[in-house]
Amino acid sequence: MTDTETPEAIRYTADVVALTPGGDVLLIERDWPPYEGAWALPGGHVDPGETSRAAAARELAEETGVQVAADDLRQIGVWDAPERDPRGRYVTVAYAAVVPAGTPIVAGDDARTAHWWPLNALPDRLAFDHADILSAATTS
């Protein structure tokens, strides 16, 4: 990079694949752009001084009401393709958690609604690269 170039802004996020033992996954319907009305994994920005694991647990609770200890989250991987988010460069660390079937959910924060979906009958419209994250979580 030369002295006249501006460094690329990179935003740091965390996402959660919450699964039941029977094969359902928890998704939220996004309440604003990008992908307003599309289904997505619970997740969001990592706050200053926070680890991505702690952010994942916090975002899951804020968006769905589901409480999971950060230590119970298993890291799936990192998604950092430059074009994965239309708002700019976002790097996410994705985690998986297994929660009991019938765990109650309440949509909150930026979720229009939250819903348990069977892995074999996912909605047609998934936001961002969340289909790739789901695939990695369920095949690893």
Side-chain angles (χ1 to χ4, degrees), residues 26-95:
L26 182 56
L27 299 175
I28 63 156
E29 185 180 14
R30 288 182 55 82
D31 201 25
W32 59 58
Y35 298 103
E36 182 177 356
W39 293 91
L41 297 167
H45 292 92
V46 176
D47 289 342
E50 187 177 42
T51 66
S52 61
R53 189 178 304 271
R58 176 183 52 76
E59 287 287 345
L60 179 64
E62 287 176 1
E63 293 184 353
T64 69
V66 175
Q67 301 284 333
V68 174
D71 289 344
D72 291 337
L73 295 171
R74 173 181 59 86
Q75 186 175 330
I76 302 165
V78 175
W79 277 259
D80 63 355
E83 303 298 323
R84 67 178 297 271
D85 190 310
R87 297 170 293 185
R89 186 73 184 264
Y90 279 77
V91 174
T92 196
V93 182
Y95 295 90

